[in-house]
Amino acid sequence: MAKEDLKSEKKKEKTPAKSSAKNQKKQPNKVAKYFKDLRSEFKKVVWPTKKQVINNTTVVLVTILLIGIFVGAFDTIGGWALKMFLNK
């Protein structure tokens, strides 16, 4: 049994050295594969039309304007109410 244990330990010692050498060689392939996958994913993207972009931009700007008016009015009314409360 002792000989078998020694053989298995030697195999375990050799295995990481081989895998680390393989990992070093595979690094450029991983990078190349990443960019190939990235390119294929970009081809799958459905870009919006000009009309959709204009429509979405308009919705966002109108929403921002309405929220700004609401917050400004709330701030003005709150400030006025606070002045009236502190002056009494």
Side-chain angles (χ1 to χ4, degrees):
M1 279 176 94
K3 289 182 180 179
E4 290 176 6
D5 291 337
L6 290 174
K7 287 181 181 179
S8 65
E9 286 181 23
K10 286 182 181 179
K11 287 181 181 178
K12 288 180 183 177
E13 290 176 3
K14 290 181 182 178
T15 304
K18 289 181 180 178
S19 64
S20 64
K22 287 181 181 178
N23 288 341
Q24 289 175 354
K25 290 181 181 178
K26 287 186 178 182
Q27 290 300 329
N29 292 336
K30 286 183 180 180
V31 173
K33 184 180 183 311
Y34 171 78
F35 283 108
K36 286 179 184 177
D37 291 343
L38 183 67
R39 186 175 179 182
S40 68
E41 288 298 321
F42 269 118
K43 288 181 180 180
K44 294 177 188 176
V45 173
V46 178
W47 297 101
T49 63
K50 185 176 180 179
K51 186 176 180 179
Q52 290 173 327
V53 171
I54 291 171
N55 186 34
N56 293 343
T57 304
T58 304
V59 169
V60 168
L61 291 176
V62 168
T63 304
I64 290 172
L65 182 67
L66 292 175
I67 290 173
I69 290 170
F70 175 76
V71 170
F74 187 76
D75 183 50
T76 303
I77 292 170
W80 176 77
L82 186 62
K83 284 182 185 178
M84 296 299 273
F85 180 72
L86 292 176
N87 283 339
K88 286 188 178 184

